[in-house]
Amino acid sequence: MRLSRYFLPVLKENPSEAQIVSHRLMLRAGMIKQASAGIYSWLPLGFKVLRKIENIVHEEQARAGHMPMLMPTIQSAELWRESGRYDAYGAEMLRFKDRHDRDMLFTPTAEELITDIFRANVSSYKDLPLTMYQIQWKFRDEIRPRFGVMRGREFLMKDGYNFDLTKEDALHAYNRHLVTYLRTYERMGLQAIPMRADSGPIGGDDTHEFLVLAETGESEVFYDSAVTDLKFGDREIDYDSVEDCAAVMEEFTDKYARTDETHDAALFEQVPEDRRRVARGIEVGQIFYFGTKYSEPLGAVVQGPDGKQVPVHMGSHGIGVSRLLGAIIEANHDENGIIWPEGVTPFHVGIVNLRQGDEATDGACEALYKALKAKGFDPLYDDRDERAGGKFAAMDLIGLPWRITVGPRGLKNGVVELTSRRTGESVELTAEAAVDRIAEIYAGI
């Protein structure tokens, strides 16, 4: 992509309505535009990152054998009345009537709908276990939408649902999801700590939230600092192995880490004093086991091995896809703008032409652009007739992790400059070596 042809409406000044860094930088970098309170249009740069995040989520769910599907954003109130949640959910649910005066709602979550799909099509334990998920827009009518995509009313969410014969099977699904989430967040350059949490309107006895530590987080969290040393890394795991998944669950949840709703001061006192931490966290996902909370009232039963009808055990598992974008920025920025981790960057590398219109620099940039494209990379070439300072400022603001600068002085010596956005360090290389270096950087991502 050439920047002269790209829709990137950057802002020079900080928007007055933006209270936190991610909201401010997303507006300034031309990633989003507010349509109404808590509802945003996703402009090309923001949409590109959103799709990167979505693809990582899909890949890790597929790795675990979970099946993607898509349910509607609009649901009938009938199923929610059947489960008993229609009136209990509260004012966050957007309720309305269609032209036939039927009660409808904009989906805040989809436990009822997926359970209805299950009960209509599955009748035997032989069809279990079963896990399906979707990435779909949701709506929750927040009383005070704020912080941009971090607390919006309309948001993109991955919500998955498991159906199992027994509690033990369902808890394995719970552990399996924890593993997939650890991998997902680390691929995005985030450390999201699983913390014992409150189940809220979803319900159930077992639930963990995944929180990214950040000063702007809405949740107060209490944890043993030893949890921040844990990394899942590149380890291979058998998702069908109860023992493998349970071992990861034990490793990542045996140390104290809780949100304020479940904080236990007495237990926290047992953590060595030098490791006790109180901080703020951004919730980016949550997993639930709720047993037969939905299957019993909705009649989601199967015939067991003994021939008897039994309600299935269920869980649900969510990742805030659009919220993640804000969380990544909160954890990766400086005074000049965003610093994208390589796994989610909208473009792999930026090319800055220091003398647009000069035959030699134009030719070198074109050759570099084509060489990167030939190797499967997605570069952003700043070919605008702008001053160098403005081009550097734009690249810093939008946060591409690597920049290649091409100018007449370097070309006389046969080199270009490769710069890391995160460290600011630069190295002079031949154009061919710069392309090879970019290939090395992204080889393991």
Side-chain angles (χ1 to χ4, degrees):
M1 178 57 65
R2 299 167 192 274
L3 196 50
S4 62
R5 302 177 186 173
Y6 198 62
F7 182 68
L8 189 68
V10 298
L11 304 175
K12 292 184 178 180
E13 304 297 329
N14 287 324
S16 59
E17 72 271 22
Q19 300 174 18
I20 63 171
V21 169
S22 58
H23 190 194
R24 189 159 59 243
L25 290 177
M26 289 180 75
L27 289 171
R28 283 199 58 209
M31 300 179 72
I32 57 173
K33 184 183 185 302
Q34 181 171 302
S36 61
I39 301 174
Y40 294 88
S41 296
W42 290 81
L43 306 184
L45 191 72
F47 185 66
K48 200 170 174 65
V49 180
L50 197 64
R51 283 288 175 257
K52 288 281 187 82
I53 292 171
E54 190 176 343
N55 287 340
I56 291 174
V57 173
H58 276 304
E59 288 167 6
E60 293 305 325
Q61 291 301 299
R63 189 193 296 262
H66 303 160
M67 291 171 283
M69 61 177 300
L70 189 64
M71 291 178 278
T73 57
I74 303 300
Q75 296 187 41
S76 166
E78 182 180 346
L79 283 173
W80 286 70
R81 289 197 174 104
E82 198 175 340
S83 73
R85 276 210 304 176
Y86 185 67
D87 295 318
Y89 199 90
E92 285 188 356
M93 182 192 290
L94 182 63
R95 301 165 171 85
F96 59 95
K97 291 182 181 291
D98 66 11
R99 66 169 63 194
H100 301 292
D101 205 36
R102 292 175 297 213
D103 290 323
M104 310 294 287
L105 58 98
F106 196 121
T107 299
T109 183
E111 283 81 6
E112 284 83 358
L113 198 56
I114 191 71
T115 305
D116 182 54
I117 292 170
F118 177 89
R119 70 182 178 182
N121 294 282
V122 180
S123 59
S124 170
Y125 76 96
K126 294 179 181 179
D127 295 321
L128 303 179
L130 182 63
T131 297
M132 296 183 286
Y133 76 95
Q134 65 171 349
I135 297 179
Q136 176 64 294
W137 292 97
K138 307 290 190 301
F139 190 92
R140 294 177 188 169
D141 201 3
E142 296 279 354
I143 189 170
R144 285 185 298 275
R146 52 187 178 152
F147 304 154
V149 301
M150 296 289 288
R151 195 171 180 84
R153 293 193 295 163
E154 185 184 49
F155 54 95
L156 190 62
M157 178 175 147
K158 173 262 168 183
D159 48 317
Y161 306 90
N162 65 281
F163 300 87
D164 292 277
L165 182 62
T166 67
K167 179 178 181 179
E168 292 72 25
D169 293 340
L171 288 176
H172 171 54
Y174 186 92
N175 295 346
R176 187 175 67 243
H177 277 86
L178 179 131
V179 176
T180 69
Y181 282 20
L182 292 173
R183 290 186 59 97
T184 297
Y185 297 129
E186 287 190 13
R187 284 186 60 188
M188 297 176 190
L190 288 174
Q191 181 176 45
I193 303 169
M195 297 190 179
R196 178 66 65 179
D198 181 68
S199 61
I202 304 296
D205 299 324
D206 290 278
T207 182
H208 282 84
E209 285 182 3
F210 292 78
L211 290 110
V212 175
L213 300 176
E215 292 180 2
T216 52
E218 288 192 277
S219 301
E220 186 174 38
V221 297
F222 304 80
Y223 64 96
D224 181 337
S225 65
V227 301
T228 60
D229 297 328
L230 298 173
K231 300 287 187 293
F232 188 85
D234 295 327
R235 70 180 88 174
E236 290 297 322
I237 190 165
D238 179 359
Y239 285 101
D240 291 328
S241 169
V242 172
E243 294 76 16
D244 283 3
C245 293
V248 176
M249 168 63 79
E250 176 69 17
E251 177 186 353
F252 280 83
T253 63
D254 69 341
K255 295 178 174 59
Y256 192 93
R258 297 194 177 200
T259 60
D260 51 359
E261 296 98 334
T262 60
H263 176 54
D264 186 320
L267 284 178
F268 192 49
E269 287 295 318
Q270 297 176 23
V271 176
E273 187 175 359
D274 64 327
R275 298 198 332 234
R276 286 181 217 148
R277 299 286 187 274
V278 181
R280 310 294 299 180
I282 300 168
E283 181 199 343
V284 292
Q286 190 163 5
I287 56 177
F288 302 86
Y289 161 71
F290 41 67
T292 59
K293 174 181 171 66
Y294 297 95
S295 58
E296 285 189 346
L298 292 170
V301 299
V302 296
Q303 185 180 57
D306 59 0
K308 296 181 179 177
Q309 297 289 312
V310 292
V312 293
H313 287 255
M314 293 175 58
S316 68
H317 317 276
I319 287 181
V321 175
S322 52
R323 172 179 269 238
L324 264 170
L325 201 149
I328 291 169
I329 295 173
E330 291 292 330
N332 296 274
H333 69 272
D334 62 16
E335 66 276 7
N336 296 318
I338 303 164
I339 307 173
W340 291 115
E342 281 84 357
V344 295
T345 181
F347 296 94
H348 294 108
V349 60
I351 302 171
V352 172
N353 186 336
L354 291 182
R355 188 171 294 176
Q356 193 69 37
D358 177 81
E359 185 177 351
T361 54
D362 287 359
C365 287
E366 289 290 342
L368 192 59
Y369 181 79
K370 290 177 181 176
L372 287 162
K373 294 283 286 184
K375 285 185 175 288
F377 295 108
D378 190 9
L380 178 64
Y381 173 22
D382 191 345
D383 60 340
R384 299 173 300 160
D385 187 15
E386 298 280 348
R387 295 176 60 182
K391 291 188 174 188
F392 290 145
M395 283 292 175
D396 283 348
L397 175 61
I398 66 175
L400 306 188
W402 296 93
R403 185 186 77 223
I404 299 175
T405 305
V406 182
R409 185 179 303 174
L411 289 180
K412 286 182 180 178
N413 299 318
V415 296
V416 297
E417 186 178 71
L418 178 64
T419 303
S420 165
R421 173 69 179 87
R422 190 169 296 278
T423 67
E425 295 177 357
S426 296
V427 59
E428 290 187 336
L429 300 165
T430 65
E432 293 79 6
V435 172
D436 290 342
R437 178 66 184 128
I438 292 297
E440 290 174 9
I441 290 166
Y442 286 99
I445 294 173

